Amino acid sequence: MMLSPRRPLANWKQIIIALSGPAANFAVIYFCIPFAGRGSELASLCIGVNVTLCIFNLLPIAQLDGGRILWYLLDLCLPEEAASRVVGVVSLCFSLALAVGGAALLVLRVGSWTLLLTALWLVAASIRRKTARRRVSA
């Protein structure tokens, strides 16, 4: 979603917007709990998927809501450039860790290609973001 640069939202509003996705996951989980308690396999699956999505989305990677939240929190106490640098390093580290984890799960034959491919996309996006930032500052 692109917001007008002429009317930026305050950091706390941006954080609330970023938390709306995980909040939706929690709403679905809350709705499914009574059905899972009655033995519904579909409800249990729905809870598991939403817990996983919520946790994944809150990882401090710039392209995910967790990275946006981290940036806006850091922006409150650091200069914008420093906040961007910290988020860039944290994003790259977490993305690389996900890629290693995804590859390890594939080697152990207990995972699928989904985590590895998603993590590699996040690594590429983190590197692309870092190089784009260098070009702008040069």
Side-chain angles (χ1 to χ4, degrees):
M1 177 172 85
M2 295 294 293
L3 298 175
S4 170
R6 291 180 287 156
R7 297 178 56 199
L9 295 176
N11 284 10
W12 67 272
K13 289 181 180 178
Q14 291 283 1
I15 292 170
I16 289 172
I17 290 168
L19 287 172
S20 65
N25 292 121
F26 279 116
V28 171
I29 292 166
Y30 182 77
F31 175 77
C32 290
I33 286 174
F35 298 105
R38 291 188 221 142
S40 170
E41 189 175 331
L42 180 61
S44 297
L45 178 65
C46 190
I47 290 170
V49 166
N50 277 279
V51 166
T52 304
L53 282 173
C54 182
I55 291 169
F56 187 82
N57 203 23
L58 286 173
L59 291 175
I61 299 173
Q63 294 74 23
L64 304 176
D65 286 337
R68 288 182 55 211
I69 293 166
L70 177 63
W71 191 90
Y72 286 111
L73 289 173
L74 289 174
D75 187 50
L76 293 172
C77 58
L78 295 174
E80 186 175 326
E81 179 71 23
S84 292
R85 250 188 254 129
V86 170
V87 170
V89 170
V90 170
S91 293
L92 187 57
C93 291
F94 268 84
S95 300
L96 287 170
L98 280 176
V100 169
L105 290 173
L106 275 174
V107 168
L108 296 172
R109 298 179 187 245
V110 293
S112 71
W113 286 93
T114 306
L115 178 59
L116 179 59
L117 293 175
T118 302
L120 290 174
W121 175 81
L122 290 169
V123 168
S126 294
I127 292 170
R128 189 172 52 246
R129 183 176 182 269
K130 196 171 190 168
T131 56
R133 214 175 42 248
R134 275 194 205 131
R135 274 187 256 132
V136 169
S137 64

